[in-house]
Amino acid sequence: MNLENAVKFHSPKSPQFTDSPRATASEALTGTDVMGALGMVQSRSPLGFSAFNGKMELSENDKKNAIRLLTQHGLKHCGKVAALRKLETNSKLKVVQTLATFAFSSWSRSAATPGARCKDCKGTGRACNREVTERTGVFTEKECDRCGGKGFNKLPAASVYRALSSHVTADQWKKGVTQFYESLITELEKSENHANSMLRLVTTSFEEIN
């Protein structure tokens, strides 16, 4: 089981907790198994678990918790960036918190997010390969260059900078802060992957026991 499979267990329609058709009783996870597994994942991978739940709009509290945990992570590592290291404590907290909030917003975007849909592929992730189409006369698609096949664009970096402009100069943003911001998005991706791995590990153990 992975995190996406677990989403349906927040509003189950039947008492059988399994992400595959039931063949034998031993292949099904009980409600206690699922709740126990999710609890263990939350304990072992708090950022990844909260971030996923927040991204899927399962919990507003998880969304806030993900930003709080990401802010804590950012504060531990922002000393590597000169522009952030020199800030006073209160200003540093505000800046890192703002970066964490934007990072979560950008990371959790999808083609369904208002204003997120890519103009080139219209949210499909696929666009016309003009070179091949013109050469062969046969309409050919390729992964959209604008959005990288995601169907939506990242939150504009200019929007993030504008929110920080009273604390960070344009030069500081370009030379270090922007990379730090991208690292926060990467941390969310890594944390979600870790939470996924933990859920697979835990549920596999439960299935073996059953």
Side-chain angles (χ1 to χ4, degrees):
M1 178 189 297
N2 59 27
L3 290 171
E4 290 188 358
N5 295 141
V7 170
K8 60 188 175 186
F9 297 138
H10 287 266
S11 300
K13 296 182 179 179
S14 70
Q16 178 177 318
F17 288 79
T18 177
D19 60 348
S20 61
R22 183 170 183 171
T24 64
S26 63
E27 292 179 359
L29 293 171
T30 67
T32 301
D33 288 338
V34 174
M35 294 302 104
L38 293 177
M40 292 177 72
V41 173
Q42 184 177 25
S43 174
R44 298 180 183 182
S45 188
L47 175 55
F49 183 80
S50 292
F52 176 80
N53 285 346
K55 177 176 69 173
M56 299 301 291
E57 301 290 346
L58 297 176
S59 168
E60 187 64 28
N61 285 335
D62 274 322
K63 184 184 298 185
K64 293 177 180 178
N65 191 48
I67 294 173
R68 180 182 65 81
L69 291 171
L70 188 61
T71 299
Q72 291 179 356
H73 169 83
L75 289 171
K76 290 180 180 178
H77 296 86
C78 67
K80 300 175 183 178
V81 182
L84 301 180
R85 186 172 60 246
K86 296 176 182 178
L87 291 174
E88 295 182 355
T89 302
N90 289 339
S91 295
K92 184 184 299 183
L93 174 60
K94 290 180 181 179
V95 168
V96 174
Q97 190 173 49
T98 298
L99 287 170
T101 301
F102 273 102
F104 178 84
S105 179
S106 182
W107 172 77
S108 61
R109 286 165 77 88
S110 71
T113 304
R117 184 169 296 181
C118 176
K119 295 180 180 179
D120 285 2
C121 68
K122 310 301 181 185
T124 65
R126 306 290 295 175
C128 175
N129 188 326
R130 297 185 182 280
E131 181 181 347
V132 176
T133 298
E134 291 175 0
R135 185 175 70 247
T136 63
V138 179
F139 179 78
T140 306
E141 289 185 331
K142 65 174 182 176
E143 183 179 90
C144 179
D145 292 329
R146 180 186 288 269
C147 67
K150 293 183 177 181
F152 59 94
N153 299 314
K154 287 185 176 181
L155 200 64
S159 299
V160 185
Y161 170 67
R162 280 196 295 270
L164 304 173
S165 58
S166 61
H167 299 285
V168 176
T169 67
D171 193 49
Q172 289 173 327
W173 168 255
K174 293 177 182 178
K175 290 186 176 181
V177 181
T178 183
Q179 289 88 346
F180 179 73
Y181 167 66
E182 291 293 337
S183 76
L184 294 181
I185 296 177
T186 300
E187 183 62 23
L188 287 169
E189 294 172 352
K190 289 169 52 180
S191 297
E192 183 186 28
N193 289 336
H194 181 263
N196 249 325
S197 298
M198 289 304 306
L199 184 58
R200 290 194 189 97
L201 179 64
V202 174
T203 52
T204 297
S205 299
F206 284 165
E207 287 170 353
E208 291 175 350
I209 292 174
N210 291 334

